[in-house]
Amino acid sequence: MHVVVLGAGIAGVTSAYSLALRGYEVTVIDRANAVAAGASHANGGQLSYSFTDALARPSFLPGIPGLLLGRDPATRVRLLTRPWLPGWGLRFLRQCTHKQARNNTIAVLELAMRSAHRMAMISEQTGVSFAHKKDGKLVLLPEGADLEASRQTISLKKRHGCTTELLSMADAIALEPAIEAMAGRYAAALYSAQDETGDARVFAEGLAGWLQRNKGMNLRLGETVNGLLRDGARIVGVQTSKGEMTADAVVVCLGARSPDILRDVGISVPVYPVRGYSLSVPRGSAAPRISITDLKRRILFSPLADRMRVSGFADFVGFSDRDDAARIALLRKMASETAPLAALYDHPQSSPWAGSRPMTPDGRPITGASDLAGLFLNCGHGMLGWTLAAATADDLAEVMAQSVNSCKPPAKSN
Ligand SMILES: Cc1cc2nc3c(=O)[nH]c(=O)nc-3n(C[C@H](O)[C@H](O)[C@H](O)COP(=O)(O)OP(=O)(O)OC[C@H]3O[C@@H](n4cnc5c(N)ncnc54)[C@H](O)[C@@H]3O)c2cc1C
């Protein structure tokens, strides 16, 4: 059985892996000339298995007027650019209840826990190296943070097999001395020993190469997918910039571009591009060994090989790249003020980058069968695609094995 996977980002390549392992003949198509050229290219590098807290939660609501007025430097909102934000935004607001936030956090946590196991298996089987470190993650909570709420989240997560600890700043500094050189004023830190870091692009490239060598995967780069080929209620292939390709099944892993292709066959998925930025720079004299997230500034620091990956911000500006240079300059400034000795921010070898997270309103990926026979989805991984990809790929392959010839209801609805 021939399966065509659309998109060679982290979701597409891990999907190809899970499908190939089950014996499918797999072709992966991407318009870029390299694997992981989209959101997976230079993301934050955190395999954040423990920190799956939903962005849509009640505490997000009081900050909305400030966001709309441009008062939060870590977020920009442009309501009227394409794709159209208000519809998605209303769905997001409906998720901002205690109940929904809790359900979404736990659903993603369960996915993340499985993803950790799957990643360990993939690493062991393929031997792909990707600057992988298992040193944990620290989240620095600002002064005034609700520590009781943090304690409640810790005990909730513990019931789902995830261990995080609330540390005093003295204990956090004992664990990661580089924090002492940071400028922020923090109340406490959350620590998870289970969390890891790694370079998603290097992993995707390595895994794609392994699949080509060991599973005969056909990787077609520099080929744009223009549409899906339909025969009644069945998808039978794809139309690309190089012609038609027939397939027994097609999997859409086009990240934030997934809605474009699906719209043409009458399927609507609530995936919105949330822009973020990163800088990869040589390490400084007080570079953290453990990955650190500064929660207030929404900036994270991940040691990746000999570099520091600094990333952050969440801009609701559609696919517009108009402000990328200014936003990266602000990220550089805020990071250097926050952790002046963590990295050589102005080094000529710094690599700036911008990408669009494929966000769903509830923060859950969309994985499974579609309304159309032969068409499967694995998209909408949002802020945690690197973390969740191994599990969603496995889920996709499982669903396909069970239902490839049947018409299923949509994988999810929001
Ligand atoms: C600044 C930033 C920091 C992040 N940090 C983290 C982190 O620390 N941890 C974490 O878990 N996640 C993080 N993420 C999120 C994570 O990077 C994404 O969720 C993930 O990369 C999405 O992967 P994907 O394969 O779905 O999409 P993508 O990587 O975007 O892949 C989609 C692919 O589809 C291709 N494509 C699109 N349209 C077409 C077409 N018409 N024809 C052919 N090909 C097409 C693109 O070229 C692309 O390669 C971060 C994201 C950003 C932006």
Side-chain angles (χ1 to χ4, degrees):
M1 180 169 155
H2 179 214
V3 182
V4 175
V5 175
L6 310 184
I10 194 65
V13 174
T14 50
S15 296
Y17 169 84
S18 291
L19 293 166
L21 240 54
R22 284 172 190 256
Y24 298 111
E25 179 196 340
V26 181
T27 298
V28 176
I29 303 178
D30 200 292
R31 65 182 175 186
N33 290 320
V35 167
S40 310
H41 188 74
N43 66 21
Q46 291 183 338
L47 288 160
S48 190
Y49 300 123
S50 312
F51 291 96
T52 60
D53 306 23
L55 181 65
R57 54 177 179 262
S59 60
F60 189 88
L61 297 173
I64 290 177
L67 292 184
L68 294 174
L69 292 169
R71 293 205 183 120
D72 180 346
T75 301
R76 285 278 167 276
V77 180
R78 257 190 252 138
L79 283 175
L80 303 180
T81 46
R82 293 183 77 83
W84 186 242
L85 181 58
W88 186 93
L90 284 176
R91 289 173 130 173
F92 178 86
L93 290 180
R94 281 206 289 273
Q95 299 297 319
C96 290
T97 64
H98 287 291
K99 187 176 168 208
Q100 287 303 100
R102 183 183 178 283
N103 290 347
N104 293 333
T105 298
I106 293 310
V108 178
L109 183 68
E110 285 174 348
L111 205 49
M113 294 287 106
R114 284 194 288 118
S115 207
H117 289 294
R118 291 291 303 171
M119 272 300 282
M121 283 170 57
I122 299 174
S123 298
E124 194 180 311
Q125 185 189 20
T126 64
V128 169
S129 69
F130 55 103
H132 193 193
K133 287 269 182 252
K134 300 184 178 183
D135 289 331
K137 167 170 162 175
L138 278 159
V139 177
L140 304 182
L141 305 177
E143 280 186 334
D146 183 349
L147 299 187
E148 189 43 42
S150 295
R151 282 189 197 97
Q152 284 171 13
T153 307
I154 287 171
S155 68
L156 177 68
K157 288 180 176 174
K158 196 168 180 185
R159 294 201 290 278
H160 294 268
C162 166
T163 310
T164 49
E165 299 168 63
L166 188 62
L167 302 182
S168 67
M169 284 317 291
D171 287 345
I173 290 168
L175 194 66
E176 176 47 81
I179 295 172
E180 192 140 39
M182 291 179 68
R185 299 174 73 86
Y186 305 108
L190 290 165
Y191 174 63
S192 160
Q194 283 168 288
D195 289 354
E196 303 171 5
T197 47
D199 192 319
R201 176 188 60 80
V202 175
F203 176 83
E205 279 173 355
L207 188 57
W210 186 89
L211 286 166
Q212 286 176 292
R213 288 191 303 278
N214 295 283
K215 297 288 172 186
M217 184 186 83
N218 180 15
L219 178 62
R220 294 170 63 130
L221 297 174
E223 182 167 351
T224 300
V225 178
N226 295 322
L228 299 166
L229 298 177
R230 187 172 177 167
D231 181 4
R234 169 170 282 278
I235 294 300
V236 293
V238 288
Q239 174 74 50
T240 77
S241 52
K242 297 188 179 164
E244 290 187 353
M245 183 186 289
T246 55
D248 298 298
V250 174
V251 186
V252 175
C253 301
L254 296 171
R257 291 289 180 184
S258 300
D260 305 353
I261 290 291
L262 292 169
R263 195 177 302 119
D264 288 347
V265 292
I267 294 178
S268 162
V269 285
V271 174
Y272 184 86
V274 177
R275 209 142 176 88
Y277 313 88
S278 77
L279 271 175
S280 302
V281 276
R283 294 183 187 210
S285 57
R289 175 184 59 85
I290 297 176
S291 179
I292 293 178
T293 297
D294 181 312
L295 203 60
K296 185 172 173 202
R297 294 173 184 81
R298 270 170 278 152
I299 295 178
L300 54 93
F301 301 85
S302 291
L304 289 180
D306 60 347
R307 303 204 124 199
M308 187 60 59
R309 176 76 50 81
V310 181
S311 68
F313 299 176
D315 289 350
F316 295 78
V317 295
F319 288 104
S320 170
D321 58 3
R322 194 176 80 188
D323 298 332
D324 283 0
R327 299 297 282 155
I328 289 165
L330 183 64
L331 178 67
R332 188 189 301 270
K333 178 173 177 287
M334 285 175 62
S336 64
E337 286 167 1
T338 306
L341 304 178
L344 306 179
Y345 296 97
D346 294 316
H347 198 278
Q349 280 170 15
S350 79
S351 309
W353 174 80
S356 296
R357 304 172 182 93
M359 286 283 289
T360 57
D362 59 11
R364 303 190 197 189
I366 303 170
T367 304
S370 77
D371 278 345
L372 295 170
L375 181 64
F376 295 80
L377 314 179
N378 191 15
C379 57
H381 291 69
M383 313 186 77
L384 289 173
W386 174 215
T387 304
L388 303 177
T392 59
D394 192 43
D395 290 351
L396 168 88
E398 178 64 30
V399 169
M400 192 177 294
Q402 286 174 11
S403 67
V404 71
N405 288 320
S406 66
C407 244
K408 284 232 153 189
K412 66 171 272 193
S413 58
N414 275 298

